Amino acid sequence: MNLADRLAKLPLFKGLPASQIQEIAKVSLLKKYAKGENIFSEGDENYGFYVIISGRAKVFKLSSEGKEQIFHFFAAGDTLGEVSVFTDQGFPASAAADEETTAIFIPRASFIELIRRDPTLALNMLGILSLRLRKFATLVEDLSLKEVPGRLAAHLLYLSEKTYSPDDLRLDISKTQLAALLGTIPETLSRIMTKMGKAGLINVEGSLIRILNEKTLTKVARGEVKL
Amino acid sequence: MNLADRLAKLPLFKGLPASQIQEIAKVSLLKKYAKGENIFSEGDENYGFYVIISGRAKVFKLSSEGKEQIFHFFAAGDTLGEVSVFTDQGFPASAAADEETTAIFIPRASFIELIRRDPTLALNMLGILSLRLRKFATLVEDLSLKEVPGRLAAHLLYLSEKTYSPDDLRLDISKTQLAALLGTIPETLSRIMTKMGKAGLINVEGSLIRILNEKTLTKVARGEVKL
DNA sequence: CGCTCCGTTGAAACGGTTCAACCCACGTGG
DNA sequence: CCACGTGGGTTGAACCGTTTCAACGGAGCG
């Protein structure tokens, strides 16, 4: 499959005429990243953004002591690095491939040029950024207003919503990564999972999690019930 | 001054032809809010967004126990509530006037219509949302990877950057509000200010803060030095 | 086989919050 | 004009959730 066909499938380019997609394809690059490989680093100058074709990437920051906070995971179809396309500063955070990942790199100047010509693309991008802002809002809420059990409960319910079998979840990331996503450390996450298990809220077997008591779990997520 | 003149001065509408601004002005509303008055609430259906003309507003969330996390303060020229213009969900957080505030309400449909016609406006809005995302990124970083002294130090240095007299700061919000912005409570903030005073980093007299040792303060902000 | 990575568990330490008391500046009403 | 209440800010002591440090078990892999 060539670049143009791949681009045409993306939600970002939905509703865009083929001719313009061809144009973008001409200046775009297909890139491959090995597991754990760096995609860009905080502060790097930015010449464009990325669209994930396959695999998974994370955007994160590290503290001075080495603790990692993951902002978001990106999978096939997602865009990353768009923020610095529209502001003249380097990347606000770093990104790395979580497994073997392929992505399309779209140069900044050509993309802006395309937006100027087609407002549909602009609206698509505005929708993407708005969604991202929503996610940040709930992340801030979780970090500041909820304790770790609340964050975990909220995350499990979030996963539950986007699954076919809403009570049988499979974590597609390691528990260490999950801890970094929830703003805590593996030890704490482990303890809380054990507690939730003993309280009959969930059942954990490796990366398989079954929700046993959704009602109470919801209350924990809201901070109405403590563990 | 009429609505159209006010709109024309906003960075959001920079570079936009007067005819289109007139059009927007026709469907916009001038609103006034008393100190403390609610502007919109989390989850409210959204029919448009707001531009602050004078005064100050805050966007925030409350925990189930009543703790407040302020996401951002907005002053004259800033827009708020744009996020839900581009996604079909209610407001992700609540907003209230921090003092007597006037704002222009711009209806969603007309604004989207205008974007469709003028890509300049789209690019302006993309720039605004991107900047907001950057702020969220540093907020998350602060909450998750820094301790309260680090957050305070970072905030003071941030204020210092945007002042004429970079070593003499005046807090324009109450310390209680500052605590809510930094993700902590007034008691903790007070203690840390005292500590920083005793360590010779700053000098606090009411809402006047003088930075005495910027170098060390920077290290505290980076987490390289503990208090 | 032995290494590394991930996850788990325990005990101690720490940062921050909670609760309570108190101070001060300010505005209001008697 | 003073008494009073109110809101913002400060301080102390107890408490609590989370992290830290250390040790250990198991799975996967060269």
Side-chain angles (χ1 to χ4, degrees), chain B residues 75-126:
Chain B
D78 292 334
T79 58
L80 74 157
E82 337 80 328
V83 167
S84 51
V85 168
F86 306 105
T87 56
D88 281 326
Q89 299 167 60
F91 290 107
S94 306
D98 202 44
E99 46 187 62
E100 187 163 308
T101 297
T102 59
I104 297 177
F105 175 80
I106 301 178
R108 175 184 172 158
S110 330
F111 187 70
I112 289 187
E113 193 42 51
L114 194 50
I115 281 190
R116 261 190 231 287
R117 263 180 281 150
D118 197 326
T120 307
L121 185 57
L123 284 170
N124 287 348
M125 190 48 105
L126 284 166

Side-chain angles (χ1 to χ4, degrees), chain A:
Chain A
M1 193 161 62
N2 66 27
L3 268 184
D5 291 341
R6 286 183 146 134
L7 289 172
K9 290 196 175 184
L10 298 171
L12 172 61
F13 294 110
K14 205 180 113 188
L16 220 69
S19 62
Q20 306 204 337
I21 290 182
Q22 283 289 350
E23 228 171 292
I24 278 285
K26 270 184 218 155
V27 291
S28 299
L29 299 169
L30 190 64
K31 296 206 174 196
K32 280 210 175 205
Y33 300 93
K35 177 175 176 173
E37 192 182 344
N38 196 271
I39 300 178
F40 54 76
S41 294
E42 181 180 350
D44 279 2
E45 242 184 289
N46 146 279
Y47 306 104
F49 68 101
Y50 301 80
V51 187
I52 307 283
I53 298 300
S54 72
R56 182 173 54 232
K58 62 178 175 183
V59 169
F60 63 98
K61 279 214 186 198
L62 295 176
S63 79
S64 56
E65 287 121 15
K67 187 185 170 191
E68 177 188 51
Q69 172 67 48
I70 297 176
F71 288 179
H72 197 54
F73 280 104
F74 294 92
D78 293 333
T79 59
L80 75 156
E82 336 79 329
V83 168
S84 51
V85 168
F86 305 105
T87 56
D88 280 328
Q89 297 166 61
F91 290 107
S94 307
D98 203 45
E99 46 187 62
E100 187 162 306
T101 297
T102 59
I104 297 177
F105 174 80
I106 301 178
R108 175 183 171 158
S110 329
F111 187 70
I112 290 187
E113 193 42 50
L114 193 51
I115 281 190
R116 262 189 229 291
R117 263 180 282 150
D118 196 326
T120 308
L121 183 57
L123 285 169
N124 286 349
M125 189 50 104
L126 283 167
I128 289 174
L129 293 190
S130 295
L131 266 181
R132 185 96 23 105
L133 276 164
R134 272 178 198 281
K135 290 209 169 141
F136 264 113
T138 74
L139 181 54
V140 169
E141 178 185 12
D142 285 358
L143 289 173
S144 173
L145 304 177
K146 288 180 185 162
E147 298 174 348
V148 183
R151 294 178 215 162
L152 174 59
H155 186 75
L156 292 178
L157 292 168
Y158 164 77
L159 291 180
S160 168
E161 270 181 20
K162 32 173 36 195
T163 311
Y164 297 105
S165 53
D167 285 349
D168 262 310
L169 309 175
R170 167 174 274 108
L171 296 178
D172 53 351
I173 56 175
S174 77
K175 289 181 184 172
T176 302
Q177 298 274 281
L178 178 57
L181 185 62
L182 297 181
T184 184
I185 54 172
E187 292 96 321
T188 302
L189 181 64
S190 174
R191 287 185 237 271
I192 289 170
M193 280 190 166
T194 309
K195 256 195 193 173
M196 285 189 173
K198 282 182 184 161
L201 299 185
I202 58 175
N203 190 300
V204 185
E205 273 173 35
S207 64
L208 266 68
I209 297 180
R210 163 169 295 164
I211 295 181
L212 300 175
N213 185 342
E214 191 194 327
K215 213 170 161 186
T216 311
L217 204 60
T218 306
K219 287 186 183 169
V220 173
R222 292 206 201 110
E224 294 166 9
V225 171
K226 299 242 166 188
L227 255 198

